[in-house]
Each structure stands twice: as C-alpha cells, then as structure tokens.
Amino acid sequence: MSSSTPLTECIERSSLNGKWILNRNRGSPSVCGYLEIMGVNELAIEANEKGEMEHDTIHEIELTDKEFKIKKLSRVNDMTLDVKLGEEHVKSLLPGERIRKTLATSENTGHVCVQSTMPTMNGVARVTDVKNLVQEASESGQKRSIYVQQLTILNESTQRKNLTTRYFIPFEGEVNVTSKIAGGNNKKI
C-alpha cells in the first residue's frame, strides 16, 4: 500500500470496529515527538518519518465489551495488541527485568483508552492512547465516521511530555502492508 491509496470520504460506522487508515492531511500525523520522548535516535526517527510518508498506516480494530484487539500495520512496524478490558497485562521485555504494563478500558464500542508503562532508551514512559469514534460532516456535507487518536507520552525521568493527535478514516480494502524497515515483523505488544 502506498501514499496513493484513495481515502474513502463518507462511510458511517457505529463503532471503532473495522479497518482505519491514517489521514495524513489532518491533525499531527507524525509521531516524531513521541519517538523523541522515547529516546529513539535521530536516524531511526528520520527513517520512521520517511516510511510513514511513503506508505499508509492502517489500524484494524476489534472491540467488544470484554476485549480490545488492534493490529497496527505500517511501513515501519507491524504490531498487535490483544487484551481483556479492565485487566492489567504485564509483559517481560528482553534483556533483563524490564516490564511493560498495559491496561485497556472502554466506555462503549466507540471509545477505548490504553494506558501503558514501559522502559525507554532514557527512562520509563507513561503512555495514554485514547481512541474516539466521531461522527462529522464531510466537505461535501455528507455524514461520515472518523476516529481520533490522542497519543500522550510522559517520560517519568525527564518529565518531557508530548501529545499527538491523529485522525483515521474508514478503510474498506485489502491490507497487504508488511513493515520493511523492521523486517516484516508482527510483534505482539
């Protein structure tokens, strides 16, 4: 998939369930600030930015009253998160005794909040990722659904913070994205 993928303008959805494509023309689609707070080196951030501009980012979401699953597909990284709502998920990371804690909560199938604490290159980060379904009018005046992602990161050691707001629109095509930079991995997070 490339940056020439057409954006579907007027699809209405009643939940976050389904495939969504990042709208790079709205909000702050770059995660550069997020990566800087994580302590990622400048060369890796530049590679991420280039990959994100050349290839689409797709989120495939399954949300019920009990579980949340998201498959994030991009040129840079493919990841899957699959958790039970309201239960803290703890995962050991190599090397050493580093752990990632994740807690997902939801008010309804149009909202999810994922809170994570994880080690970074320069300390520990607290991440809050809120996804909300929004109904709005398109430029042509037709109703459409979008989802708004508010991604907040706080480095607990440095107290540096970043908020990134990204907008996704419904996508109804085949997803054949495989990350190229990360070797086509599909990490479970």
Side-chain angles (χ1 to χ4, degrees):
M1 218 167 296
S2 69
S3 59
S4 64
T5 302
L7 299 180
T8 308
E9 278 297 308
C10 297
I11 295 177
E12 285 187 70
R13 291 191 175 160
S14 60
S15 73
L16 286 170
N17 290 304
K19 296 178 208 161
W20 300 84
I21 188 168
L22 177 64
N23 182 347
R24 290 190 294 255
N25 300 318
R26 187 171 177 187
S28 49
S30 169
V31 292
C32 180
Y34 174 87
L35 295 174
E36 287 173 356
I37 302 293
M38 290 284 286
V40 174
N41 76 49
E42 195 173 315
L43 190 57
I45 292 173
E46 286 177 27
N48 181 76
E49 292 295 297
K50 184 173 190 268
E52 292 291 322
M53 289 308 298
E54 293 176 356
H55 296 274
D56 293 312
T57 297
I58 307 282
H59 288 180
E60 188 170 357
I61 296 174
E62 295 175 33
L63 177 61
T64 68
D65 61 344
K66 293 183 171 56
E67 295 181 276
F68 172 64
K69 180 177 181 179
I70 184 167
K71 184 187 275 188
K72 301 175 184 182
L73 304 167
S74 73
R75 166 81 176 189
V76 179
N77 211 353
D78 296 347
M79 294 184 290
T80 301
L81 175 66
D82 190 356
V83 294
K84 291 185 179 175
L85 294 172
E87 291 183 20
E88 186 174 66
H89 175 74
V90 179
K91 181 177 181 179
S92 296
L93 304 172
L94 296 176
E97 297 182 23
R98 304 176 328 145
I99 60 169
R100 172 187 290 145
K101 295 179 181 178
T102 304
L103 175 66
T105 57
S106 177
E107 297 170 1
N108 54 59
T109 57
H111 167 268
V112 68
C113 176
V114 180
Q115 296 177 311
S116 303
T117 303
M118 66 188 87
T120 68
M121 303 300 280
N122 58 1
V124 175
R126 184 171 308 277
V127 178
T128 303
D129 183 356
V130 179
K131 300 174 187 327
N132 281 303
L133 180 69
V134 176
Q135 307 298 335
E136 66 177 16
S138 70
E139 291 176 13
S140 66
Q142 293 180 296
K143 282 184 68 176
R144 70 173 176 191
S145 300
I146 62 168
Y147 103 61
V148 180
Q149 176 189 38
Q150 292 190 298
L151 185 61
T152 305
I153 183 169
L154 169 68
N155 183 307
E156 293 182 341
S157 301
T158 66
Q159 292 301 299
R160 288 184 62 208
K161 187 176 185 177
N162 179 265
L163 170 64
T164 302
T165 301
R166 305 194 318 161
Y167 295 82
F168 289 77
I169 61 175
F171 178 72
E172 297 203 342
E174 290 300 314
V175 178
N176 294 320
V177 166
T178 302
S179 65
K180 303 294 184 200
I181 295 172
N185 66 346
N186 190 4
K187 293 189 273 188
K188 285 205 172 221
I189 55 175

